[in-house]
Amino acid sequence: MNRFKLLFLLLLASVGMMAQTEEPDTFCVDSVEVALPWPQNVQYRLDSLVCDKMFETSMVGMIVYDLTADSVLYKVNERQAMRPASTMKLVTAITALDRLGGSYQFRTQLYYTGTVEDHTLNGDLYCVGGFDPAFNVDDMKAFVESIQRMGVDTICGRIVADRSMKDADLLGEGWCWDDDNPKLSPLSHGRDIAFLERFVNELSEEGIVLDNVRLSEGSLPNDAYILCSRFHSMDQILQRMMKVSDNFYAEAMFYQLGAVIGRRPAKAKDAASVVKQLIQKVGNGKNPYRIADGSGLSLYNYVTPELEMRLLRYAYRNSNIYLHLLPSLPVAGRDGTLKTRMKGTFAEENVKAKTGTVTGISALAGYCTAANGHQLCFSIINQGIMKSDPGRNFQDRVCNALCAP
């Protein structure tokens, strides 16, 4: 607490202006007990937390915004460029909901060319990937059933993988080689990029004869006919992406942003350009940021706590975004990556936020409700920590301070 704030509080205490009917937070200065009203009580708690000895060897960037009062409640190093870790998924999710909308669908489609004679398809099948990370066994069975419904029991031609939705890079820029990184193919069965092989096996198991069928890569021709279209909704992708911090799902959403502006194949820089447009829109366009991927795996991502706060505030003010974003966030003490955190505190089942962890970084950003009913959003990034637990413990204490009466 700075000297001017301290002198002001002592002055108020001396003239008896701090009396309250409810039990307030208190602190002692030279044996004088001073009661603090909102928001000074929360600010004092946070002042005490940022004095922790852990910040002798590490750094914190933090900002808390009172959405109800439309004002900054607390800030420290809020404009410091930092790696966001998986809170980068918040940036991706809010941008996607803003640009694509909550009704957007992640699609994988099956087309054919040629003719059907005597139960034989004399032509080609095209599996067209739209980077649906949730394509599963039921979807693959639906592909096979669509062929059977045509009365086809034999295929004579090619089975073609159309992966032209994105570039051929299977890993993100700045990803560590020794991490368990997902392969970024727009045509995959779950995380398995051997899509055609899985498709062929399913066809054979269902008794469909493959007569000298060749597997190849290519682009869908204009004269192809659609057989089957499978999709998963924005909400389905958001749930796994945010609750359990699934990197593959986040990258799938990221590349949709590049594709939606007409880039084919979409590149990471195309998706990043859409994110930067939203950054400009929320008023932080002139600050130096680096958007390298959609998941936060990259060591080249750099944002600020202030930027994350502005995006959370933007989402809160736009019901078309907020109504999809909020249910996807982990809930403290209940589910997702916050399931075991903040139990037995005022933050339990109150805080809804995205976690983030990479080597040296621990972060948390999201929403909570203060004891006076005010809605808050916050971003906390701990940088330079050798273990994640001290950062998480600090974030949990901050959240409890925000929620406590």
Side-chain angles (χ1 to χ4, degrees):
M1 180 176 298
N2 61 48
R3 291 180 300 169
F4 301 104
K5 184 186 290 186
L6 180 59
L7 290 171
F8 175 71
L9 291 171
L10 287 171
L11 176 62
L12 291 179
S14 66
V15 296
M17 294 177 63
M18 305 295 284
Q20 296 182 359
T21 56
E22 298 181 4
E23 182 180 348
D25 275 17
T26 62
F27 71 97
C28 292
V29 180
D30 293 335
S31 300
V32 178
E33 189 177 80
V34 182
L36 295 175
W38 172 273
Q40 286 84 7
N41 58 345
V42 175
Q43 292 164 344
Y44 171 69
R45 295 172 194 165
L46 298 181
D47 276 339
S48 299
L49 290 174
V50 298
C51 291
D52 195 285
K53 288 185 177 180
M54 68 181 288
F55 299 118
E56 294 176 2
T57 57
S58 67
M59 181 179 181
V60 65
M62 177 169 65
I63 186 167
V64 181
Y65 195 86
D66 188 330
L67 295 161
T68 304
D70 196 17
S71 61
V72 173
L73 179 63
Y74 192 86
K75 61 183 179 179
V76 57
N77 298 324
E78 77 281 3
R79 293 185 177 177
Q80 178 69 41
M82 295 176 162
R83 293 173 183 164
S86 280
T87 61
M88 189 68 198
K89 293 180 176 71
L90 269 176
V91 179
T92 302
I94 292 170
T95 305
L97 286 167
D98 183 61
R99 190 60 180 261
L100 305 175
S103 61
Y104 186 82
Q105 296 174 339
F106 295 68
R107 291 186 177 275
T108 307
Q109 297 175 303
L110 179 65
Y111 290 79
Y112 79 96
T113 59
T115 59
V116 177
E117 297 178 2
D118 297 327
H119 304 290
T120 299
L121 171 62
N122 295 295
D124 301 331
L125 292 172
Y126 287 83
C127 300
V128 182
F131 214 150
D132 177 4
F135 189 92
N136 56 35
V137 172
D138 291 337
D139 299 314
M140 188 66 85
K141 288 185 180 297
F143 269 25
V144 175
E145 290 169 359
S146 70
I147 296 171
Q148 293 172 323
R149 283 196 297 271
M150 287 202 306
V152 169
D153 59 23
T154 304
I155 298 171
C156 184
R158 298 182 304 157
I159 299 179
V160 183
D162 184 341
R163 297 185 172 93
S164 61
M165 180 262 193
K166 75 170 288 292
D167 62 18
D169 293 340
L170 293 179
L171 298 175
E173 182 187 20
W175 287 12
C176 292
W177 65 270
D178 56 348
D179 279 347
D180 183 18
N181 297 313
K183 300 296 189 295
L184 303 181
S185 171
L187 184 63
S188 61
H189 189 297
R191 298 169 196 277
D192 187 354
I193 63 175
F195 187 96
L196 293 191
E197 290 79 358
R198 298 283 293 270
F199 186 36
V200 165
N201 289 339
E202 189 69 28
L203 290 168
S204 298
E205 288 180 7
E206 292 300 319
I208 295 177
V209 176
L210 305 177
D211 187 1
N212 294 318
V213 165
R214 292 176 292 115
L215 306 184
S216 64
E217 302 277 330
S219 296
L220 183 70
N222 292 330
D223 61 346
Y225 300 95
I226 192 164
L227 267 174
C228 185
S229 181
R230 301 291 289 183
F231 70 89
H232 289 90
S233 69
M234 174 67 80
D235 287 335
Q236 287 174 305
I237 304 304
L238 273 175
Q239 280 288 313
R240 182 167 181 84
M241 168 183 166
M242 304 299 277
K243 290 286 188 184
V244 300
S245 200
D246 193 300
N247 296 316
F248 186 53
Y249 278 53
E251 294 302 328
M253 188 168 291
F254 186 62
Y255 279 94
Q256 306 299 323
L257 296 173
V260 78
I261 60 174
R263 300 290 193 268
R264 199 171 186 90
K267 301 178 182 295
K269 66 178 183 180
D270 301 321
S273 71
V274 181
V275 176
K276 290 175 182 176
Q277 289 173 18
L278 182 58
I279 291 174
Q280 183 76 32
K281 186 175 180 180
V282 301
N284 273 54
K286 294 182 180 180
N287 292 350
Y289 302 110
R290 180 75 187 275
I291 309 299
D293 67 12
S295 63
L297 279 175
S298 177
L299 299 180
Y300 299 162
N301 288 310
Y302 277 94
V303 301
T304 66
E306 182 184 50
L307 172 61
E308 291 192 335
M309 178 278 290
R310 285 177 179 261
L311 289 169
L312 287 164
R313 182 180 65 183
Y314 178 78
Y316 179 80
R317 293 173 174 175
N318 290 264
S319 59
N320 291 333
I321 298 175
Y322 191 67
L323 291 177
H324 295 277
L325 178 67
L326 190 66
S328 75
L329 294 174
V331 180
R334 181 195 298 172
D335 62 22
T337 54
L338 286 179
K339 185 174 183 178
T340 62
R341 291 175 58 177
M342 306 182 212
K343 284 185 174 291
T345 72
F346 292 103
E348 183 177 0
E349 298 200 4
N350 184 333
V351 168
K352 300 173 179 64
K354 183 71 197 73
T355 57
T357 306
V358 295
T359 301
I361 304 292
S362 179
L364 186 69
Y367 301 97
C368 67
T369 303
N372 66 347
H374 283 213
Q375 300 299 307
L376 310 178
C377 69
F378 61 88
S379 171
I380 312 165
I381 302 178
N382 290 97
Q383 182 172 270
I385 56 174
M386 295 300 102
K387 295 183 179 180
S388 58
D389 283 349
R392 291 172 181 168
N393 292 337
F394 171 79
Q395 295 149 21
D396 292 355
R397 293 197 301 270
V398 168
C399 289
N400 188 56
L402 297 178
C403 301

